[in-house]
Amino acid sequence: MAPKKAKKKIEGGSNVFSMFEQTQIQEFKEAFTIMDQNRDGFIDKADLRDTFAALGRLNVKNEELENMVKEAPGPINFTVFLTMFGEKLKGTDPEETILNAFKIFDPEGKGHIKADYIKEMLMTQADRFSQEEIKQMFAAFPPDVSGNLDYKNLCYVITHGEEKD
């Protein structure tokens, strides 16, 4: 009996390829190709082990690899891989939600916040940032010469992955 072809549809009947922009699909394809170490069109435990080794992580437990592979409904071809990412990303906040969170700190609606102020808020409120996390954020999104953080651009990068021109 021939193996069943992987379904191209996900829950709700929408095509998985319509969930992403073409550039995102290309990036996922590149990642899939890198991970498919034996080039058989599927990612399995051996491919995952080799990928971890290529990243410098040796001695990955078999159980850990099995748990990763079990997250998929069947053999992991590119469509299944893309579907799994779509399901993982489904819970991420839309750009508008993130913008609204920043607007709380910008009552005048300027589109930027004093870097020192946001640093203090992130380090003292709720789920506190460490000094290292603050350093990483400001390395990726340096404040302008006036010491302001352009949170609109930050939100765009968080949701789209690249800076606006």
Side-chain angles (χ1 to χ4, degrees):
M1 195 159 129
K4 288 184 181 179
K5 297 220 180 213
K7 292 180 183 174
K8 288 198 177 198
K9 305 261 180 193
I10 58 169
E11 294 173 17
S14 67
N15 185 328
V16 67
F17 291 92
S18 67
M19 292 175 61
F20 300 103
E21 294 174 17
Q22 199 57 45
T23 54
Q24 291 174 305
I25 292 171
Q26 187 57 41
E27 288 170 0
F28 284 126
K29 185 65 178 167
E30 289 170 21
F32 180 86
T33 303
I34 290 167
M35 292 174 73
D36 182 18
Q37 298 274 315
N38 63 7
R39 302 289 181 256
D40 66 354
F42 295 91
I43 294 174
D44 57 20
K45 281 191 336 187
D47 291 325
L48 290 174
R49 186 179 302 286
D50 292 344
T51 301
F52 274 117
L55 295 170
R57 185 165 168 222
L58 307 172
N59 304 322
V60 179
K61 292 182 179 150
N62 214 31
E63 181 184 357
E64 189 178 354
L65 297 172
E66 283 172 13
N67 287 338
M68 287 180 190
V69 172
K70 281 182 197 168
E71 285 187 40
I76 306 172
N77 64 13
F78 180 63
T79 304
V80 171
F81 181 79
L82 198 59
T83 301
M84 291 172 72
F85 268 96
E87 289 170 354
K88 294 269 187 220
L89 295 173
K90 215 184 285 177
T92 58
D93 292 321
E95 185 175 4
E96 185 181 356
T97 304
I98 299 168
L99 267 174
N100 287 336
F102 276 105
K103 284 178 183 173
I104 292 168
F105 302 108
D106 181 24
E108 289 120 42
K110 296 177 194 167
H112 57 80
I113 305 168
K114 283 284 180 202
D116 290 341
Y117 177 64
I118 196 67
K119 176 183 175 182
E120 179 187 338
M121 291 294 108
L122 289 171
M123 293 183 76
T124 61
Q125 306 297 315
D127 200 5
R128 295 182 174 110
F129 274 45
S130 69
Q131 189 67 43
E132 182 59 30
E133 288 168 323
I134 293 289
K135 195 168 116 185
Q136 288 172 357
M137 183 182 84
F138 286 134
F141 302 99
D144 65 18
V145 292
S146 303
N148 294 314
L149 178 67
D150 176 0
Y151 68 81
K152 288 183 177 180
N153 191 42
L154 172 64
C155 292
Y156 184 87
V157 173
I158 289 170
T159 56
H160 295 85
E162 56 202 46
E163 287 194 47
K164 285 184 186 177
D165 291 331

